[in-house]
Amino acid sequence: MKLRRDVFQAIADPTRRAIISLLAINAMTPTAIAENFDYSRQTISKHIQILTECEILEQEQKGREIYYQLNPHGMREIAEFIEPFRKHWDDQFNKLEQVMKSHQSKQ
């Protein structure tokens, strides 16, 4: 049985969230990712390893370089957790908007 790290522990770290944001734009090599931080390449590689183990990132070999990119399927677990909260707050803001429009029409 393959054990996997908890995806929410992985995204709890601000550096890992910053890596996810970087890779949302395009695939990058570990060296290119590390250039965006004041940490050693080894430290960034450890963060990349954790994100890869959680299947948030996937790697692709291109010649001699390994490129990392977001794995949309790996992000699904996070999205599924957040979705009910997003829907709740959308509903609350829609109700607030209706109250405000009603208040404005009375003035």
Side-chain angles (χ1 to χ4, degrees):
M1 182 172 135
K2 181 180 174 185
L3 293 178
R4 191 174 70 118
R5 289 180 186 256
D6 182 83
V7 69
F8 296 102
Q9 285 181 335
I11 64 169
D13 185 278
T15 302
R16 290 194 280 269
R17 289 194 306 269
I19 292 171
I20 290 169
S21 295
L22 272 175
L23 296 177
I25 298 169
N26 58 5
M28 301 173 79
T29 64
T31 301
I33 296 168
E35 289 172 353
N36 291 279
F37 298 93
D38 291 331
Y39 302 120
S40 70
R41 188 181 179 286
Q42 291 78 17
T43 299
I44 296 301
S45 291
K46 183 65 179 171
H47 286 299
I48 291 170
Q49 177 187 356
I50 291 169
L51 292 170
T52 302
E53 288 173 3
C54 291
E55 300 175 357
I56 293 173
L57 301 183
E58 57 188 10
Q59 63 183 36
E60 181 180 357
Q61 183 86 35
K62 293 182 181 176
R64 296 174 61 179
E65 298 283 348
I66 295 175
Y67 284 81
Y68 288 91
Q69 60 192 8
L70 273 185
N71 176 6
H73 299 292
M75 297 292 289
R76 184 175 297 145
E77 184 177 353
I78 299 166
E80 289 174 354
F81 176 78
I82 293 172
E83 181 58 23
F85 300 104
R86 188 195 62 76
K87 182 171 178 358
H88 169 77
W89 283 108
D90 279 350
D91 292 344
Q92 295 299 313
F93 282 120
N94 288 337
K95 288 177 184 174
L96 178 61
E97 185 178 8
Q98 289 173 354
V99 168
M100 292 176 71
K101 283 181 180 176
S102 171
H103 181 71
Q104 284 178 338
S105 66
K106 291 179 182 175
Q107 290 181 346

